[in-house]
Amino acid sequence: MKTVNSQNFAGKKVIIRVDFNAPLNHNRQVTDDTRIKESIPTINKILNDGASVILMSHLGRPKGGYEEDYSLSPIVPVLAKMLDRNIIFSRELFGEKTKAEASKLKAGDVLLLENLRFHPEEEKADESFAKELASLADFYVNDAFATAHREHASTATIAKFFPNKKFFGLLLENEVNNLEKVLNNAHSPYTAIIGGAKISSKIAIIKNLINNVDNLIIGGGMAFTFIKALGGNVGGSFVEEDSLEIAKEIVKEVMLKGVNFYIPTDAIIADKFSNEAQVQTSLAENIEKGWLGLDIGRNSCRRFAEIINKSQTILWNGPMGVFEMPNFKQGTKAIAISVASATISGSFSLLGGGDTVAAINQYNLGDQISYVSTGGGAMLEYLEGKQLPGIKALLS
Ligand code: AMP
């Protein structure tokens, strides 16, 4: 990995792919500046070398043309404050005006380009679009882990115009180093906790993880697909009928590989998908008709906590229940506390995915986790064992 720390950028222009895809409220103000904050160490390292930087990012999912709602302009004041300097904002990504703007940059200047996805060429990984962006700078840095699984112009294609002049940003480097700790260098006992609604989106990661883990804990809606596949009665719980066979196959593979497999034994059930529903506890494998499982039960929390507490390495992706509703958040909260307390006792823990990160922050436990990944899809694909296009482009 060639990282920005291996290069002095003095006097040069550096184009950096950052992830400024921050959530905005209806007044178009940034409501969570984590992503912007995460990019600051790399930007400052390059500025402190005496270089100028050109920043590019996407924001949301515009339809391929300019839409004010997706402009990066709300990022400008937040970034200016964090970097303690003026930001030049270019409404365009290329063209004569942008080129002139870029060529005027002096050491310490920061130019932010408008949302890359206002041009459909970005997501099509268009070569001439990437070349235009590349023409603005002497070096290329990618620090946007959350989009590293996308083969886009700014994340992949652009790198080919910078042979020997392309670098991992500090965030991207940190992500890779930490993900390697659970993918290839995990200390045993190693426990993976996988939750969330759909098994179908996690099949590949589960299949890859069972080659490495000692314990596999399944929670969330997907647990009911497993329970039904194993012959249980799950009432009206969320089940992916199409995935019942694959769930059976996974269980078989887990047994063959000697992995300890844990699914919830009890569940918090409700008579409708609502926080106002009637609530009861039930055996997870025997839920009555008209009821649905929306969280793991107390016994399951206790059992999962015992496994987590004995683990040296812990990976967690996906909530244990419908944690957005207060009546069904206890399972996710209990697991968050268990992971945090194992970490305090010296285990290595890594978690990621939008809902899991939101949950850990909701309980103010983010600081007690060894590493919180900034990538959802990118993290899953990395842990599936895939080489991400954004990373491959920097290595080749
Ligand atoms: P995913 O994007 O697949 O990780 O799923 C996250 C979503 O799963 C969250 O919005 C949760 O509310 C939802 N979820 C967790 N447990 C359940 C459950 N038992 N039934 C339905 N949805 C669930």
Side-chain angles (χ1 to χ4, degrees):
M1 257 198 289
K2 226 162 92 180
T3 81
V4 289
N5 279 336
S6 65
Q7 178 74 34
N8 187 323
F9 295 96
K12 301 293 184 190
K13 293 187 179 63
V14 183
I15 191 160
I16 315 177
R17 177 45 159 111
V18 284
D19 177 15
F20 287 166
N21 184 26
L24 304 176
N25 63 17
H26 57 274
N27 291 324
R28 309 204 56 250
Q29 290 159 326
V30 173
T31 53
D32 181 346
D33 61 9
T34 313
R35 287 185 160 159
I36 308 169
K37 216 184 274 163
E38 303 266 12
S39 68
I40 300 300
T42 295
I43 300 172
N44 271 337
K45 145 70 179 127
I46 294 168
L47 290 174
N48 291 339
D49 278 355
S52 56
V53 302
I54 300 161
L55 304 174
M56 54 178 176
S57 175
H58 76 285
L59 179 86
R61 292 176 182 220
K63 290 179 192 78
Y66 180 82
E67 285 176 69
E68 198 188 345
D69 282 352
Y70 295 104
S71 169
L72 279 169
S73 58
I75 306 297
V76 174
V78 182
L79 184 63
K81 200 164 167 206
M82 285 184 192
L83 291 174
D84 196 20
R85 65 185 78 209
N86 279 336
I87 309 295
I88 310 161
F89 181 54
S90 170
R91 297 256 167 212
E92 287 156 20
L93 288 168
F94 49 79
E96 288 316 310
K97 230 167 112 193
T98 314
K99 275 203 179 117
E101 205 81 76
S103 67
K104 276 192 300 201
L105 293 175
K106 297 181 303 297
D109 285 349
V110 179
L111 172 66
L112 171 65
L113 304 180
E114 186 50 289
N115 191 343
L116 289 157
R117 292 193 187 167
F118 286 166
H119 293 267
E121 295 92 332
E122 161 65 357
E123 290 178 80
K124 289 184 185 145
D126 184 84
E127 194 149 331
S128 47
F129 178 75
K131 196 172 176 186
E132 284 283 343
L133 292 170
S135 72
L136 301 174
D138 305 300
F139 290 93
Y140 168 67
V141 171
N142 189 353
D143 210 22
F145 177 68
T147 46
H149 60 317
R150 306 282 184 216
E151 184 153 6
H152 291 170
S154 68
T155 58
T157 324
I158 191 171
K160 72 168 75 148
F161 299 105
F162 294 95
N164 300 318
K165 291 183 171 182
K166 49 190 178 180
F167 298 87
F168 282 76
L170 301 171
L171 170 65
L172 189 59
E173 178 196 14
N174 213 6
E175 287 279 356
V176 170
N177 286 340
N178 280 289
L179 287 167
E180 282 298 311
K181 288 186 193 168
V182 292
L183 189 67
N184 292 313
N185 300 307
H187 294 289
S188 205
Y190 176 11
T191 299
I193 310 154
I194 306 290
K198 290 188 177 170
I199 175 180
S200 53
S201 58
K202 313 257 165 102
I203 291 166
I205 182 174
I206 294 175
K207 283 197 156 182
N208 199 37
L209 285 173
I210 52 186
N211 295 312
N212 290 326
V213 300
D214 301 290
N215 306 307
L216 175 62
I217 293 176
I218 300 282
M222 73 165 76
F224 296 104
T225 301
F226 278 102
I227 293 169
K228 183 161 183 185
L230 293 170
N233 259 330
V234 297
S237 304
F238 177 76
V239 167
E240 281 176 286
E241 297 288 337
D242 294 355
S243 299
L244 287 171
E245 278 311 307
I246 195 92
K248 274 187 210 163
E249 257 175 52
I250 289 175
V251 174
K252 237 186 251 165
E253 240 178 278
V254 160
M255 300 298 165
L256 279 173
K257 297 211 158 114
V259 174
N260 302 311
F261 183 60
Y262 301 93
I263 46 178
T265 47
D266 57 346
I268 306 297
I269 60 168
D271 61 353
K272 58 182 174 193
F273 190 83
S274 158
N275 195 49
E276 275 67 55
Q278 282 195 62
V279 173
Q280 285 183 21
T281 300
S282 158
L283 281 179
E285 60 176 12
N286 201 6
I287 299 175
E288 274 176 47
K289 221 173 145 196
W291 291 78
L292 52 160
L294 295 184
D295 198 6
I296 59 174
R298 276 212 195 144
N299 290 337
S300 305
C301 289
R302 216 171 292 133
R303 198 152 131 268
F304 293 176
E306 277 167 23
I307 312 300
I308 292 166
N309 284 336
K310 287 187 207 139
S311 303
Q312 283 294 309
T313 307
I314 303 156
L315 165 68
W316 181 20
N317 173 268
M320 295 292 102
V322 185
F323 77 104
E324 299 94 332
M325 298 183 195
N327 283 341
F328 310 107
K329 69 172 190 191
Q330 288 309 330
T332 303
K333 189 171 178 183
I335 296 306
I337 292 169
S338 302
V339 176
S341 81
T343 311
I344 292 166
S345 313
S347 309
F348 176 80
S349 59
L350 184 146
L351 63 83
D355 290 312
T356 318
V357 176
I360 205 87
N361 289 337
Q362 198 175 315
Y363 314 132
N364 283 325
L365 291 170
D367 293 348
Q368 324 281 353
I369 303 299
S370 310
Y371 192 73
V372 177
S373 175
T374 58
M379 182 190 96
L380 288 180
E381 289 196 23
Y382 197 98
L383 297 176
E384 284 167 15
K386 286 189 190 153
Q387 193 177 37
L388 309 186
I391 291 177
K392 191 172 167 199
L394 292 175
L395 295 174
S396 53

